[in-house]
Amino acid sequence: MAAIPRRKADRRYRQRPPDLARRHRPHAPPRKARICCRGCSPRRRTRWAAIGTARAQRRPSCSPPANRLEVGANAPCQGEPMRLSRYFLPVLKETPAEAQIVSHRLMLRAGMIKQQAAGIYSWLPLGFRVLRRIEQIVHEEQARAGHIALLMPTLQPADLWRESGRYDAYGQEMLRVTDRHKRDLLYGPTNEEMITDIFRSHVSSYRDLPLTLYHIQWKFRDEIRPRFGVMRGREFLMKDGYNFDVDKQAALDAYNRHMVSYLRTYERMGLTAIPMRAASGPIGGDNTHEFLVLAQTGESEVFYDDRVTGLKLGNRAVDYYNPEAVKAVCEEFTSLYARTDETHDEAAFAEVPEAHRKVGRGIEVGQIFYFGTKYSEPMGAMVVNAEGERVPVHMGSHGIGVSRLAGAIIEASHDERGIIWPEGVTPFHCGIVNLRQGDSATDAACEGLYAALQARGLEPLYDDTQERAGAKFATMDLIGLPWRLTVGPRGLQKGVVELTCRRSGESEEMSAEAAVERLGEIYAAHR
RNA sequence: CGGAGCAUGGCGCAGCCUGGUAGCGCGCUGGUUUUGGGUACCAGAGGUCGCAGGUUCGAAUCCUGCUGCUCCGACCA
């Protein structure tokens, strides 16, 4: 019985052009019944502050299992072989000629990526693991801030972009394609138009606000000159999110919330990313900050008070549903001078005490914007406010360069021997080096560690190949696992294995059980 | 898009100027050796010299066109 009306509704939506379907919406069946699951009362939806509570209450029926974030393109690697003899890790002894900067060279040498065309890369297993770890942190921090994941397509109809006027404005950087019916499509460089279209199709009341939707999807910008490996590719993976709010103040609260969630996201990746006032570019809007990781190879010149690099969010709990608390954190992180060359102000910079005045270079790893009604107005994304007036929704957008981060992290964390992964994004939690492959006691000890670490929820990479010790060490150093367990007959006679920190180079001998325990503790601190 | 350069086994390169049918190192395969920081030796496999045309008895090499990639600049997450 329920199936018949649904089918009718489907037909109605399919046959009408989008604008008619939209005009028809007031008579459409209540959408809440369609988007919510059976266990939830549609009437429970209310303003943001209350939604937090309502969501928590209905979690058992509404919330997907925690691991649902990892399906599809983000599928976990769990279960894949993690012993080197059965893995695919094509490391290179020599550096390919095309790589100029250190992260690009190391990613190629460590077998993380392979270039397929200018600015377009395959992600080999090791690189793919890093990419997924980065994605996972982004997802977790978005969820923590109350933002909701969806997935929009890579290809978009040109008509949507004609509505906003950006189809012509965007220029050569946008990759345009034509399908067999001669319809104009484009490979999305960003998604403001599409998300606005989704919003206007389904939301019409301030009671459904605030709302922040995001996705992590491949984008394409046809850069004139791609370079620096994945740091400036043409195809790139990006988290982009969009907030919808009833007025400017609420939208600025969302802006601040994003700033804090981004700070936490970068910190978890082992990065110090400084929010800097920025120029808005083709997205538009006045209120915008870029997040920059300091690195000599950065593409932007940055001017800053060096005390900003000491600011840390750490483990402090920030209540994302309390705009004042969120704003206070933002002020803490933005009151010291920090700007890119685009917005640099010599006079203001001169007021920074000379001892703290620093000029350097930075890699941009994210940007947040408030742009008000720039898209909602031309595209008719309206909501009825509490006073009963139809007003354009206030929006902002926010991006994190996911694939670029893989390169940026390496730029910020490497030495002459190779990569040094921060614990938060490492492709494997530790390496196991078997110094005497084929020796039954050594093999058994390694197998024991391999199993015990996995039982603790860790993912070790076990080098069970016939290589010499030197070659195994060199490979481990190159691929940058933060911890290494070295197992050989000499140590086993004393009942110990060796745990080495990649970053400091320090080693410590301990029993296998103690080493497993220790690694478990180290990674427990990075959850 | 303006300027410059490169394209030769999987990777890094030599050979081209002065045309005679391809070589080195690493890697790979088999063997011996070695085994706590890229071991040594022996024997092998692997190349339409980016593509198309031209000159020539003969082209990796000289000429023309094309394609791809890289670097500098303007542009960008």
Side-chain angles (χ1 to χ4, degrees), chain A residues 77-359:
Chain A
C77 342
Q78 283 153 15
E80 67 183 31
M82 301 184 295
R83 47 184 83 228
L84 210 44
S85 64
R86 295 184 205 158
Y87 199 57
F88 181 63
L89 185 71
V91 298
L92 305 173
K93 231 177 191 176
E94 284 166 296
T95 304
E98 75 265 18
Q100 298 299 308
I101 63 167
V102 65
S103 64
H104 191 191
R105 283 202 296 270
L106 289 174
M107 288 181 84
L108 291 167
R109 286 196 53 211
M112 292 177 65
I113 54 171
K114 167 163 169 45
Q115 177 166 323
Q116 305 291 172
I120 298 176
Y121 293 86
S122 288
W123 290 75
L124 305 182
L126 190 77
F128 191 33
R129 275 181 169 263
V130 171
L131 201 58
R132 282 187 283 187
R133 294 248 195 254
I134 293 171
E135 277 186 289
Q136 193 177 340
I137 290 175
V138 171
H139 277 304
E140 288 172 7
E141 293 306 322
Q142 288 300 301
R144 200 199 292 261
H147 304 161
I148 302 166
L150 47 62
L151 185 60
M152 291 178 270
T154 53
L155 288 171
Q156 307 184 20
D159 284 345
L160 226 40
W161 287 64
R162 293 197 173 100
E163 284 190 57
S164 71
R166 284 209 295 181
Y167 190 69
D168 298 321
Y170 221 93
Q172 292 278 294
E173 212 177 72
M174 187 157 73
L175 181 66
R176 296 148 205 264
V177 293
T178 309
D179 71 13
R180 68 197 298 166
H181 301 294
K182 302 280 182 279
R183 280 184 293 244
D184 293 327
L185 299 171
L186 57 97
Y187 198 113
T190 178
N191 287 66
E192 279 82 7
E193 283 79 359
M194 187 163 279
I195 198 80
T196 304
D197 178 59
I198 290 170
F199 181 88
R200 71 185 175 188
S201 305
H202 299 292
V203 180
S204 52
S205 163
Y206 79 99
R207 288 173 175 278
D208 293 325
L209 304 182
L211 179 66
T212 297
L213 300 170
Y214 77 95
H215 73 340
I216 295 180
Q217 177 62 291
W218 291 93
K219 310 275 191 292
F220 196 92
R221 292 186 193 168
D222 200 359
E223 299 283 347
I224 294 164
R225 185 152 100 80
R227 60 185 124 176
F228 305 148
V230 299
M231 297 250 291
R232 180 130 168 238
R234 292 193 292 173
E235 188 183 48
F236 57 98
L237 187 63
M238 181 175 166
K239 172 264 166 181
D240 48 325
Y242 307 87
N243 68 285
F244 301 91
D245 290 277
V246 71
D247 57 25
K248 180 170 181 178
Q249 186 50 53
L252 289 176
D253 290 344
Y255 182 89
N256 291 338
R257 193 174 66 240
H258 278 86
M259 184 179 289
V260 176
S261 72
Y262 277 28
L263 289 170
R264 200 186 284 283
T265 302
Y266 297 125
E267 273 189 26
R268 282 190 60 190
M269 295 175 191
L271 291 173
T272 301
I274 304 166
M276 300 195 182
R277 189 179 298 184
S280 64
I283 310 282
D286 302 325
N287 229 320
T288 174
H289 279 84
E290 288 177 344
F291 291 79
L292 286 108
V293 173
L294 297 177
Q296 298 88 330
T297 44
E299 76 265 73
S300 322
E301 191 168 25
V302 296
F303 303 82
Y304 62 101
D305 182 326
D306 69 357
R307 286 172 290 186
V308 295
T309 60
L311 297 172
K312 291 279 182 292
L313 211 48
N315 286 328
R316 81 176 94 154
V318 179
D319 178 4
Y320 284 116
Y321 297 102
N322 178 345
E324 288 309 313
V326 170
K327 190 177 175 189
V329 176
C330 290
E331 280 169 359
E332 178 187 338
F333 279 81
T334 55
S335 55
L336 289 165
Y337 189 91
R339 297 198 189 181
T340 64
D341 45 6
E342 293 170 319
T343 55
H344 180 53
D345 177 348
E346 272 301 335
F349 192 47
E351 288 172 23
V352 176
E354 196 169 351
H356 294 295
R357 223 179 286 159
K358 289 276 161 55
V359 181

Side-chain angles (χ1 to χ4, degrees), chain A residues 47 126 184 199 284 310 354 367 405 414 477 496:
Chain A
R47 298 219 47 161
L126 190 77
D184 293 327
F199 181 88
E354 196 169 351
Q367 187 161 8
L405 270 166
H414 66 272
D477 288 347
V496 298

Side-chain angles (χ1 to χ4, degrees), chain A residues 64-76 132 135 139 151 216:
Chain A
N67 65 5
R68 273 290 290 280
L69 290 175
E70 298 165 0
V71 300
N74 311 326
R132 282 187 283 187
E135 277 186 289
H139 277 304
L151 185 60
I216 295 180

